């Protein structure tokens, strides 16, 4: 799918998994929001709330549509994706691509599991 970030190499064993993707100079959607460089240390990139800058309306429309299209595609294929957040959306030009699709296959809990688990009636 055009909105899924490619994997260069992947392997798994009974106790671990390894996924390698190409490095992106542009970084993730989170990097764009924080005006950060992908190679900077985490604390330097994301712990200064003064650097946070919103997106333009056209960017929100474009990225939102692309994310919804890939989520619809995954849903139609019966593939769960519970790790949607700005750090799992890679940017390539004006295109965004989802990362970490393998998390559900590896049995990792959803990013939002702690929020959902508060509600007993949600299946």
């Amino acid at each position: 799918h055009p909105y899924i970030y490619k994997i260069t190499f992947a392997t798994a064993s009974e106790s671990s998994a390894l996924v390698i993707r190409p490095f992106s100079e542009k970084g993730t959607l989170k990097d764009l929001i924080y005006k950060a460089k992908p190679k900077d240390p985490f604390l330097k990139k994301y712990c200064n709330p003064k650097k946070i800058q919103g997106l333009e309306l056209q960017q929100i429309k474009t990225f939102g549509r692309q994310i919804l299209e890939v989520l619809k595609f995954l849903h139609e294929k019966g593939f769960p994706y519970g790790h949607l957040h700005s750090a799992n959306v890679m940017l390539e030009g004006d295109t965004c691509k989802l990362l970490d699709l393998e998390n559900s296959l590896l049995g990792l809990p959803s990013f939002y599991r702690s929020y959902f688990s508060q509600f007993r009636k949600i299946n």
Side-chain angles (χ1 to χ4, degrees):
H1 193 277
Y3 302 136
I4 295 175
Y5 201 63
K6 62 184 174 184
I7 293 173
T8 304
F9 177 79
T11 187
S13 68
E14 289 184 26
S15 61
S16 65
L18 172 68
V19 177
I20 299 174
R21 294 181 181 86
F23 178 75
S24 172
E25 292 289 336
K26 203 161 188 186
T28 64
L29 182 57
K30 187 171 186 173
D31 293 330
L32 177 64
I33 292 168
Y34 280 80
K35 299 299 177 205
K37 296 177 183 171
K39 288 186 176 183
D40 286 344
F42 182 87
L43 292 176
K44 182 178 179 187
K45 291 196 309 187
Y46 305 129
C47 292
N48 185 359
K50 293 178 184 176
K51 289 178 64 177
I52 298 173
Q53 183 175 339
L55 301 174
E56 295 176 11
L57 181 58
Q58 187 56 46
Q59 288 176 307
I60 295 169
K61 289 179 180 180
T62 302
F63 296 159
R65 179 175 180 94
Q66 292 170 355
I67 291 168
L68 289 173
E69 283 184 25
V70 71
L71 289 175
K72 181 179 181 236
F73 171 80
L74 294 171
H75 180 73
E76 289 171 351
K77 303 295 181 198
F79 193 91
Y81 185 74
H83 294 270
L84 182 60
H85 53 86
S86 59
N88 274 349
V89 179
M90 188 66 74
L91 297 176
E92 281 188 349
D94 290 331
T95 304
C96 59
K97 300 183 178 204
L98 291 188
L99 298 169
D100 293 345
L101 272 70
E102 66 279 355
N103 287 351
S104 60
L105 297 174
L106 296 171
L108 297 173
S110 166
F111 181 77
Y112 300 103
R113 184 182 185 286
S114 61
Y115 302 107
F116 294 140
S117 62
Q118 298 174 24
F119 305 103
R120 293 183 183 173
K121 294 184 179 182
I122 294 178
N123 292 326

